[in-house]
Amino acid sequence: MTTPRSGDLLQVTRAASVQFVKPIMFRVIRVLDWPTYDGWLWLDGYQLDARGDAVARRSIFVQPAGLVIARRTAPAPAVRPVPTRGPRGRR
């Protein structure tokens, strides 16, 4: 499992942390850079209900290996290089 990204929709289960006996859906706002144990991370985001509406903002402590990505955010658009001009404004 790769590190979640902003906008990812995750299913968080007991495999990610024992606190999630009942799985939740979670929309990632950001991955926090708080100190943690090796193999764990803090996520900031919203817990979602069955309709996909946010019901609570939470920061959760999880093992990324136990997260299930329900929907990945779209990949970032490719950055196109800006053409450079040669001497005297010629290309």
Side-chain angles (χ1 to χ4, degrees), residues 8 26 28 31 37 51 56 60-61 75 82:
D8 286 352
F26 189 80
V28 178
V31 178
Y37 296 103
R51 295 181 307 186
I60 59 175
F61 187 58
V82 177

Side-chain angles (χ1 to χ4, degrees), residues 37-55:
Y37 296 103
D38 189 37
W40 291 79
L41 54 86
W42 282 97
L43 298 175
D44 189 27
Y46 293 100
Q47 181 176 341
L48 307 178
D49 63 13
R51 295 181 307 186
D53 295 329
V55 293

Side-chain angles (χ1 to χ4, degrees), residues 1-5 8-12 15-16 26 28 31 39 41 43 62-72:
M1 159 80 188
T2 59
T3 301
R5 298 185 305 216
D8 286 352
L9 179 62
L10 307 174
Q11 182 180 32
V12 184
F26 189 80
V28 178
V31 178
L41 54 86
L43 298 175
V62 294
Q63 294 180 328
L67 298 172
V68 177
I69 296 180
R71 187 171 53 229
R72 188 66 132 164

